[in-house]
Coordinates of all heavy atoms in Angstrom, one line a residue:
M16 N -91.0 -4.0 -114.0 CA -90.2 -4.3 -112.9 C -89.9 -5.8 -112.9 O -90.7 -6.6 -113.2 CB -91.0 -4.0 -111.6 CG -90.3 -4.3 -110.3 SD -91.4 -3.9 -108.9 CE -90.5 -2.5 -108.3
Q17 N -88.6 -6.1 -112.7 CA -88.2 -7.5 -112.8 C -88.6 -8.3 -111.6 O -88.7 -7.7 -110.5 CB -86.6 -7.6 -112.9 CG -86.1 -7.0 -114.2 CD -84.6 -7.2 -114.3 OE1 -84.0 -7.4 -113.3 NE2 -84.1 -7.0 -115.6
K18 N -88.8 -9.5 -111.8 CA -89.3 -10.4 -110.7 C -88.2 -10.5 -109.6 O -88.5 -10.6 -108.4 CB -89.5 -11.8 -111.2 CG -90.3 -12.7 -110.3 CD -90.6 -14.0 -111.0 CE -91.5 -14.8 -110.1 NZ -91.9 -16.1 -110.7
N19 N -86.9 -10.5 -109.9 CA -85.8 -10.7 -109.0 C -85.3 -9.4 -108.4 O -84.3 -9.4 -107.7 CB -84.7 -11.5 -109.6 CG -85.1 -12.9 -109.9 OD1 -86.0 -13.4 -109.2 ND2 -84.4 -13.5 -110.9
Q20 N -85.9 -8.3 -108.8 CA -85.4 -7.0 -108.3 C -85.6 -6.9 -106.8 O -86.7 -7.2 -106.3 CB -86.1 -5.9 -109.0 CG -85.6 -4.5 -108.7 CD -86.2 -3.4 -109.5 OE1 -87.2 -3.6 -110.2 NE2 -85.8 -2.2 -109.4
L21 N -84.6 -6.4 -106.1 CA -84.6 -6.2 -104.7 C -85.6 -5.1 -104.3 O -85.6 -4.0 -104.9 CB -83.3 -5.9 -104.1 CG -82.3 -7.1 -104.2 CD1 -80.9 -6.6 -103.6 CD2 -82.8 -8.3 -103.4
I22 N -86.4 -5.3 -103.3 CA -87.3 -4.3 -102.8 C -86.5 -3.6 -101.6 O -86.0 -4.3 -100.7 CB -88.6 -4.9 -102.3 CG1 -89.3 -5.5 -103.4 CG2 -89.5 -3.8 -101.6 CD1 -90.5 -6.3 -103.1
A23 N -86.5 -2.3 -101.6 CA -85.7 -1.6 -100.6 C -86.4 -1.8 -99.3 O -87.6 -1.6 -99.1 CB -85.7 -0.1 -100.9
E24 N -85.6 -2.2 -98.3 CA -86.1 -2.4 -96.9 C -86.3 -1.0 -96.3 O -85.5 -0.1 -96.4 CB -85.1 -3.2 -96.1 CG -85.6 -3.5 -94.7 CD -84.6 -4.2 -93.9 OE1 -83.7 -4.9 -94.5 OE2 -84.7 -4.3 -92.7
Q25 N -87.4 -0.8 -95.5 CA -87.7 0.4 -94.9 C -86.6 0.6 -93.8 O -86.3 -0.3 -93.1 CB -89.1 0.5 -94.3 CG -89.4 1.9 -93.8 CD -90.9 2.0 -93.4 OE1 -91.6 1.0 -93.3 NE2 -91.3 3.2 -93.2
K26 N -86.2 1.9 -93.6 CA -85.2 2.2 -92.7 C -85.9 3.1 -91.5 O -86.9 3.7 -91.7 CB -84.1 3.1 -93.3 CG -83.3 2.4 -94.4 CD -82.6 1.2 -93.9 CE -81.8 0.5 -95.1 NZ -80.9 -0.5 -94.7
F27 N -85.2 3.0 -90.4 CA -85.7 3.7 -89.2 C -84.7 4.5 -88.5 O -83.5 4.2 -88.5 CB -86.3 2.7 -88.2 CG -87.5 1.9 -88.8 CD1 -87.2 0.8 -89.6 CD2 -88.8 2.3 -88.5 CE1 -88.3 0.1 -90.1 CE2 -89.8 1.6 -89.1 CZ -89.6 0.5 -89.8
N28 N -85.1 5.7 -87.9 CA -84.2 6.4 -87.0 C -84.6 6.1 -85.5 O -85.8 5.9 -85.2 CB -84.5 7.9 -87.2 CG -84.0 8.4 -88.6 OD1 -83.2 7.7 -89.2 ND2 -84.5 9.5 -89.0
V29 N -83.6 6.1 -84.7 CA -83.8 5.8 -83.3 C -83.6 7.1 -82.6 O -82.5 7.7 -82.7 CB -82.7 4.8 -82.8 CG1 -82.9 4.5 -81.3 CG2 -82.9 3.4 -83.6
V30 N -84.6 7.5 -81.9 CA -84.7 8.8 -81.2 C -84.8 8.7 -79.7 O -85.7 8.0 -79.2 CB -85.9 9.7 -81.7 CG1 -85.9 11.0 -81.1 CG2 -85.8 9.8 -83.2
L31 N -83.8 9.2 -79.0 CA -83.8 9.2 -77.5 C -84.8 10.4 -77.1 O -84.5 11.6 -77.4 CB -82.5 9.5 -77.0 CG -82.3 9.6 -75.5 CD1 -82.7 8.3 -74.8 CD2 -80.8 9.9 -75.1
T32 N -85.9 10.0 -76.5 CA -86.9 11.1 -76.1 C -86.9 11.4 -74.6 O -87.3 12.5 -74.2 CB -88.3 10.7 -76.5 OG1 -88.6 9.4 -75.9 CG2 -88.4 10.5 -78.0
A33 N -86.4 10.5 -73.7 CA -86.4 10.8 -72.3 C -85.3 10.0 -71.6 O -85.1 8.8 -72.1 CB -87.8 10.6 -71.7
A34 N -84.8 10.5 -70.6 CA -83.7 9.8 -69.8 C -84.2 9.7 -68.3 O -83.8 10.5 -67.5 CB -82.4 10.5 -69.9
D35 N -85.1 8.9 -68.0 CA -85.7 8.8 -66.7 C -85.0 7.9 -65.7 O -85.3 7.9 -64.6 CB -87.2 8.3 -66.9 CG -88.0 9.3 -67.7 OD1 -87.7 10.5 -67.7 OD2 -88.9 8.9 -68.4
G36 N -84.1 7.1 -66.3 CA -83.4 6.2 -65.4 C -82.1 6.8 -64.8 O -82.0 8.0 -64.8
K37 N -81.2 6.0 -64.4 CA -79.9 6.6 -63.9 C -79.2 7.2 -65.1 O -78.9 6.5 -66.1 CB -79.0 5.4 -63.4 CG -79.5 4.9 -62.0 CD -78.5 3.9 -61.5 CE -78.8 3.5 -60.1 NZ -77.8 2.5 -59.6
K38 N -78.9 8.4 -65.0 CA -78.3 9.2 -66.1 C -77.0 8.6 -66.5 O -76.6 8.5 -67.7 CB -78.1 10.6 -65.7 CG -78.4 11.5 -66.9 CD -78.5 13.0 -66.5 CE -79.5 13.6 -67.3 NZ -79.7 15.0 -67.1
V39 N -76.2 8.1 -65.5 CA -74.9 7.5 -65.8 C -75.1 6.3 -66.7 O -74.3 6.1 -67.7 CB -74.2 7.2 -64.5 CG1 -72.9 6.4 -64.8 CG2 -73.8 8.4 -63.7
D40 N -76.0 5.4 -66.4 CA -76.3 4.3 -67.2 C -76.7 4.6 -68.6 O -76.3 3.9 -69.6 CB -77.3 3.4 -66.5 CG -76.9 2.8 -65.2 OD1 -75.6 2.7 -64.9 OD2 -77.7 2.3 -64.4
I41 N -77.6 5.6 -68.7 CA -78.1 6.0 -70.0 C -76.9 6.6 -70.9 O -76.8 6.2 -72.0 CB -79.2 6.9 -69.9 CG1 -80.4 6.2 -69.2 CG2 -79.7 7.5 -71.3 CD1 -81.5 7.1 -68.8
I42 N -76.1 7.4 -70.2 CA -75.0 8.0 -71.0 C -74.0 6.9 -71.4 O -73.6 6.9 -72.6 CB -74.2 9.0 -70.0 CG1 -75.1 10.2 -69.8 CG2 -72.9 9.4 -70.7 CD1 -74.6 11.1 -68.8
Q43 N -73.8 5.9 -70.6 CA -72.9 4.7 -71.0 C -73.6 4.0 -72.1 O -72.9 3.6 -73.1 CB -72.6 3.8 -69.8 CG -71.6 2.7 -70.1 CD -70.3 3.2 -70.5 OE1 -69.7 4.1 -69.8 NE2 -69.7 2.7 -71.6
A44 N -74.9 3.7 -72.1 CA -75.6 3.0 -73.2 C -75.5 3.8 -74.5 O -75.3 3.2 -75.6 CB -77.0 2.7 -72.8
V45 N -75.7 5.1 -74.4 CA -75.5 6.0 -75.6 C -74.2 5.9 -76.2 O -74.0 5.7 -77.4 CB -76.0 7.4 -75.3 CG1 -75.6 8.4 -76.5 CG2 -77.5 7.5 -75.0
K46 N -73.2 6.0 -75.3 CA -71.8 5.9 -75.7 C -71.5 4.5 -76.4 O -70.9 4.5 -77.5 CB -70.8 6.0 -74.5 CG -69.4 5.9 -74.8 CD -68.5 5.9 -73.6 CE -67.1 5.7 -73.8 NZ -66.7 4.4 -74.3
D47 N -72.0 3.4 -75.8 CA -71.8 2.1 -76.4 C -72.5 2.0 -77.8 O -72.0 1.4 -78.7 CB -72.3 1.0 -75.5 CG -71.5 0.9 -74.2 OD1 -70.3 1.4 -74.2 OD2 -72.0 0.3 -73.3
A48 N -73.7 2.5 -77.9 CA -74.5 2.5 -79.1 C -74.0 3.3 -80.3 O -74.1 2.9 -81.4 CB -76.0 2.8 -78.8
T49 N -73.4 4.5 -79.9 CA -73.1 5.4 -81.0 C -71.6 5.5 -81.2 O -71.2 6.1 -82.3 CB -73.6 6.8 -80.6 OG1 -73.0 7.2 -79.4 CG2 -75.1 6.9 -80.5
G50 N -70.8 5.2 -80.3 CA -69.3 5.3 -80.4 C -68.8 6.7 -80.1 O -67.6 7.0 -80.3
L51 N -69.7 7.5 -79.5 CA -69.3 8.9 -79.1 C -68.5 8.8 -77.8 O -68.5 7.8 -77.1 CB -70.6 9.7 -78.8 CG -71.5 10.0 -80.0 CD1 -72.8 10.7 -79.5 CD2 -70.8 10.8 -81.0
S52 N -67.8 9.9 -77.5 CA -67.1 9.9 -76.3 C -68.1 10.1 -75.1 O -69.2 10.4 -75.3 CB -66.1 11.1 -76.3 OG -66.8 12.3 -76.2
L53 N -67.6 10.0 -73.9 CA -68.5 10.2 -72.7 C -69.0 11.6 -72.7 O -70.2 11.8 -72.4 CB -67.7 9.9 -71.4 CG -67.7 8.4 -71.0 CD1 -66.8 8.3 -69.8 CD2 -69.1 7.9 -70.7
I54 N -68.2 12.6 -73.0 CA -68.6 14.0 -73.0 C -69.7 14.2 -74.0 O -70.7 14.9 -73.8 CB -67.4 14.9 -73.1 CG1 -66.5 14.8 -71.9 CG2 -67.9 16.3 -73.4 CD1 -65.2 15.6 -72.0
E55 N -69.5 13.7 -75.2 CA -70.4 13.8 -76.3 C -71.8 13.1 -76.0 O -72.8 13.6 -76.3 CB -69.9 13.3 -77.6 CG -68.7 14.1 -78.2 CD -68.0 13.4 -79.3 OE1 -67.8 12.1 -79.3 OE2 -67.6 14.1 -80.3
S56 N -71.7 11.9 -75.4 CA -72.8 11.1 -75.0 C -73.6 11.9 -74.0 O -74.8 11.9 -74.0 CB -72.4 9.8 -74.5 OG -71.8 9.0 -75.5
K57 N -72.9 12.5 -73.0 CA -73.6 13.3 -71.9 C -74.3 14.5 -72.6 O -75.5 14.8 -72.2 CB -72.6 13.8 -70.9 CG -73.2 14.6 -69.8 CD -72.1 15.0 -68.8 CE -72.6 15.7 -67.6 NZ -72.8 17.1 -67.8
S58 N -73.7 15.1 -73.5 CA -74.4 16.2 -74.2 C -75.6 15.8 -74.9 O -76.6 16.5 -74.9 CB -73.3 16.8 -75.2 OG -74.0 17.9 -75.9
V59 N -75.6 14.6 -75.6 CA -76.7 14.1 -76.3 C -77.9 13.8 -75.3 O -79.0 14.2 -75.5 CB -76.4 12.8 -77.0 CG1 -77.6 12.1 -77.5 CG2 -75.4 13.1 -78.2
V60 N -77.6 13.2 -74.2 CA -78.6 12.9 -73.2 C -79.2 14.1 -72.6 O -80.4 14.1 -72.2 CB -78.0 11.9 -72.1 CG1 -78.9 11.8 -70.9 CG2 -77.6 10.6 -72.7
E61 N -78.5 15.2 -72.5 CA -78.9 16.4 -71.9 C -79.7 17.3 -72.9 O -80.3 18.3 -72.5 CB -77.8 17.2 -71.3 CG -77.2 16.5 -70.0 CD -76.0 17.2 -69.4 OE1 -75.4 18.0 -70.1 OE2 -75.7 16.9 -68.3
S62 N -79.7 17.0 -74.2 CA -80.3 17.8 -75.2 C -81.4 16.9 -75.9 O -81.3 16.7 -77.1 CB -79.3 18.3 -76.2 OG -78.6 17.3 -76.9
L63 N -82.4 16.6 -75.2 CA -83.5 15.7 -75.8 C -84.6 16.5 -76.4 O -84.8 17.6 -76.0 CB -84.1 14.8 -74.6 CG -83.1 13.9 -73.9 CD1 -83.8 13.2 -72.8 CD2 -82.4 13.0 -74.8
P64 N -85.2 15.9 -77.4 CA -85.0 14.7 -78.1 C -83.8 14.7 -78.9 O -83.4 15.7 -79.5 CB -86.2 14.4 -78.9 CG -86.8 15.8 -79.2 CD -86.3 16.7 -78.0
A65 N -83.1 13.5 -79.1 CA -81.9 13.5 -79.9 C -81.9 12.2 -80.8 O -82.2 11.1 -80.3 CB -80.7 13.4 -79.0
V66 N -81.6 12.3 -82.1 CA -81.5 11.2 -83.0 C -80.2 10.5 -82.7 O -79.2 11.2 -82.8 CB -81.6 11.6 -84.4 CG1 -81.4 10.4 -85.3 CG2 -83.0 12.3 -84.7
L67 N -80.3 9.2 -82.3 CA -79.0 8.5 -82.0 C -78.4 7.8 -83.2 O -77.2 7.9 -83.4 CB -79.3 7.5 -80.9 CG -79.7 8.0 -79.5 CD1 -80.0 6.9 -78.6 CD2 -78.7 9.0 -79.0
K68 N -79.3 7.2 -84.0 CA -78.8 6.5 -85.1 C -79.9 6.8 -86.2 O -81.1 6.8 -86.0 CB -78.7 5.0 -84.9 CG -77.6 4.6 -84.0 CD -76.4 4.2 -84.8 CE -75.3 3.6 -83.9 NZ -74.4 2.8 -84.6
E69 N -79.4 6.8 -87.5 CA -80.3 7.0 -88.6 C -80.2 5.9 -89.6 O -79.2 5.3 -89.8 CB -79.9 8.4 -89.3 CG -80.1 9.6 -88.4 CD -79.7 10.9 -89.1 OE1 -78.7 10.8 -89.9 OE2 -80.4 11.9 -89.0
K70 N -81.4 5.7 -90.3 CA -81.5 4.8 -91.4 C -81.0 3.4 -91.1 O -80.3 2.8 -91.8 CB -80.7 5.4 -92.6 CG -81.3 6.7 -93.0 CD -80.5 7.2 -94.2 CE -81.1 8.6 -94.6 NZ -80.3 9.2 -95.7
L71 N -81.5 2.8 -89.9 CA -81.2 1.5 -89.6 C -82.3 0.5 -90.0 O -83.5 0.9 -90.1 CB -81.1 1.4 -88.0 CG -80.0 2.1 -87.3 CD1 -80.2 1.9 -85.8 CD2 -78.7 1.6 -87.8
P72 N -82.0 -0.7 -90.3 CA -83.0 -1.7 -90.6 C -83.8 -1.9 -89.3 O -83.3 -1.6 -88.2 CB -82.2 -3.0 -90.9 CG -80.9 -2.6 -91.2 CD -80.6 -1.3 -90.5
K73 N -85.0 -2.3 -89.4 CA -85.9 -2.4 -88.2 C -85.3 -3.3 -87.1 O -85.4 -3.0 -86.0 CB -87.3 -3.0 -88.6 CG -88.3 -3.0 -87.5 CD -89.7 -3.1 -87.9 CE -90.6 -3.1 -86.8 NZ -91.4 -1.9 -86.7
S74 N -84.7 -4.4 -87.5 CA -84.2 -5.4 -86.5 C -83.1 -4.7 -85.7 O -83.0 -4.8 -84.5 CB -83.6 -6.6 -87.2 OG -82.6 -6.3 -88.1
E75 N -82.2 -3.9 -86.3 CA -81.1 -3.2 -85.6 C -81.7 -2.1 -84.7 O -81.3 -1.9 -83.6 CB -80.1 -2.6 -86.6 CG -79.2 -3.6 -87.2 CD -78.2 -3.0 -88.1 OE1 -77.6 -1.9 -87.7 OE2 -77.9 -3.5 -89.2
A76 N -82.7 -1.4 -85.2 CA -83.3 -0.3 -84.4 C -84.0 -0.9 -83.2 O -83.8 -0.3 -82.1 CB -84.4 0.4 -85.3
E77 N -84.7 -2.0 -83.3 CA -85.3 -2.7 -82.1 C -84.2 -3.2 -81.1 O -84.5 -3.1 -79.9 CB -86.2 -3.8 -82.6 CG -87.4 -3.3 -83.3 CD -88.3 -4.4 -83.9 OE1 -87.8 -5.5 -84.1 OE2 -89.5 -4.1 -84.2
K78 N -83.2 -3.7 -81.6 CA -82.1 -4.1 -80.7 C -81.5 -3.0 -80.0 O -81.3 -3.1 -78.8 CB -81.0 -4.8 -81.6 CG -79.8 -5.4 -80.8 CD -78.8 -6.1 -81.7 CE -77.6 -6.5 -80.9 NZ -76.6 -7.1 -81.8
L79 N -81.3 -1.9 -80.6 CA -80.7 -0.7 -80.0 C -81.8 -0.1 -79.0 O -81.5 0.2 -77.9 CB -80.4 0.4 -81.0 CG -79.8 1.7 -80.6 CD1 -78.5 1.4 -79.8 CD2 -79.6 2.6 -81.7
E80 N -83.0 -0.2 -79.3 CA -84.1 0.3 -78.4 C -84.1 -0.5 -77.1 O -84.2 0.0 -76.0 CB -85.5 0.1 -79.1 CG -86.7 0.5 -78.2 CD -88.0 0.2 -78.9 OE1 -88.1 -0.8 -79.7 OE2 -88.9 1.0 -78.6
K81 N -84.0 -1.8 -77.2 CA -84.0 -2.7 -76.0 C -82.8 -2.4 -75.1 O -82.9 -2.3 -73.9 CB -84.0 -4.2 -76.5 CG -85.3 -4.6 -77.0 CD -85.2 -6.1 -77.4 CE -86.5 -6.5 -78.0 NZ -86.5 -7.9 -78.5
A82 N -81.7 -2.2 -75.7 CA -80.4 -1.9 -74.9 C -80.6 -0.6 -74.2 O -80.2 -0.5 -73.0 CB -79.2 -1.9 -75.9
L83 N -81.1 0.4 -74.8 CA -81.3 1.7 -74.2 C -82.4 1.7 -73.2 O -82.2 2.4 -72.2 CB -81.5 2.8 -75.3 CG -80.2 3.1 -76.1 CD1 -80.5 3.8 -77.4 CD2 -79.2 3.9 -75.3
E84 N -83.5 1.1 -73.5 CA -84.6 1.0 -72.5 C -84.2 0.2 -71.2 O -84.6 0.5 -70.1 CB -85.8 0.4 -73.1 CG -86.5 1.3 -74.1 CD -87.7 0.8 -74.7 OE1 -88.0 -0.5 -74.7 OE2 -88.5 1.6 -75.3
A85 N -83.2 -0.8 -71.4 CA -82.8 -1.5 -70.2 C -82.0 -0.5 -69.3 O -81.9 -0.8 -68.1 CB -81.8 -2.6 -70.7
A86 N -81.4 0.5 -69.9 CA -80.6 1.5 -69.1 C -81.6 2.6 -68.5 O -81.1 3.4 -67.7 CB -79.6 2.1 -69.9
G87 N -82.8 2.6 -68.9 CA -83.8 3.5 -68.4 C -84.2 4.7 -69.3 O -84.8 5.6 -68.9
A88 N -83.8 4.6 -70.6 CA -84.1 5.6 -71.6 C -85.4 5.3 -72.2 O -85.9 4.2 -72.3 CB -83.0 5.6 -72.6
T89 N -86.1 6.3 -72.7 CA -87.3 6.1 -73.5 C -86.9 6.5 -75.0 O -86.3 7.5 -75.3 CB -88.4 7.2 -73.1 OG1 -88.6 7.0 -71.7 CG2 -89.7 7.0 -73.8
I90 N -87.3 5.5 -75.8 CA -86.9 5.5 -77.2 C -88.1 5.5 -78.2 O -89.0 4.8 -77.9 CB -86.0 4.3 -77.6 CG1 -84.7 4.2 -76.6 CG2 -85.6 4.2 -79.0 CD1 -83.8 5.4 -76.8
D91 N -88.0 6.3 -79.2 CA -89.0 6.2 -80.3 C -88.2 5.7 -81.6 O -87.1 6.1 -81.8 CB -89.5 7.6 -80.6 CG -90.6 8.0 -79.7 OD1 -91.2 7.1 -79.0 OD2 -91.0 9.2 -79.7
I92 N -88.9 4.8 -82.3 CA -88.3 4.3 -83.6 C -89.2 4.9 -84.6 O -90.4 4.7 -84.6 CB -88.3 2.8 -83.6 CG1 -87.4 2.2 -82.6 CG2 -87.9 2.4 -85.0 CD1 -87.3 0.7 -82.6
K93 N -88.7 5.8 -85.4 CA -89.5 6.5 -86.5 C -89.0 6.1 -87.9 O -87.8 6.1 -88.1 CB -89.3 8.0 -86.3 CG -89.8 8.5 -84.9 CD -89.7 10.0 -84.8 CE -90.2 10.4 -83.5 NZ -90.3 11.9 -83.3
P94 N -90.0 5.8 -88.7 CA -89.6 5.4 -90.1 C -89.1 6.6 -90.8 O -89.5 7.7 -90.6 CB -90.9 4.9 -90.7 CG -92.0 5.2 -89.7 CD -91.4 5.7 -88.5
V95 N -88.1 6.3 -91.7 CA -87.5 7.4 -92.5 C -88.4 7.5 -93.7 O -88.8 6.5 -94.4 CB -86.0 7.0 -92.9 CG1 -85.5 8.0 -93.9 CG2 -85.1 6.8 -91.7
Q96 N -88.7 8.8 -94.1 CA -89.5 8.9 -95.2 C -88.7 9.5 -96.4 O -87.8 10.1 -96.4 CB -90.6 9.9 -94.9 CG -91.5 9.3 -93.8 CD -92.7 10.2 -93.5 OE1 -92.9 11.3 -94.1 NE2 -93.5 9.8 -92.5

């Protein structure tokens, strides 16, 4: 193994596990985070648990987690294996 070889950064999936806050706020946060339409975002929020984003670096996953939790969602960050 070469000294300068890049080590692969671990990736994480962001999973919406519960929507205990205002559903409208959570749907809007999901829409903003994923780029889905309002109807698609509503469907995601109503079919929990749901993977919102896959294979993100830890910093991005944590940023997304904070935004969704601020709207009242419960999020799990799971390492990709």
Side-chain angles (χ1 to χ4, degrees):
M16 182 180 249
Q17 292 182 345
K18 192 175 185 178
N19 294 335
Q20 186 176 5
L21 293 176
I22 298 172
E24 181 180 345
Q25 187 171 14
K26 301 291 183 177
F27 296 85
N28 291 343
V29 178
V30 181
L31 177 63
T32 58
D35 299 326
K37 286 185 175 179
K38 217 170 217 181
V39 173
D40 292 343
I41 296 170
I42 292 168
Q43 185 63 46
V45 169
K46 179 184 178 294
D47 294 343
T49 61
L51 297 172
S52 70
L53 275 174
I54 293 171
E55 292 169 322
S56 298
K57 180 177 184 279
S58 177
V59 167
V60 171
E61 291 175 345
S62 62
L63 300 178
V66 177
L67 297 179
K68 291 263 187 161
E69 296 180 320
K70 299 179 182 175
L71 294 177
K73 186 166 182 106
S74 61
E75 285 184 42
E77 289 173 342
K78 183 178 174 183
L79 183 57
E80 176 186 34
K81 286 179 185 178
L83 290 162
E84 285 180 343
T89 303
I90 301 297
D91 279 344
I92 297 177
K93 298 184 178 186
V95 176
Q96 297 184 4

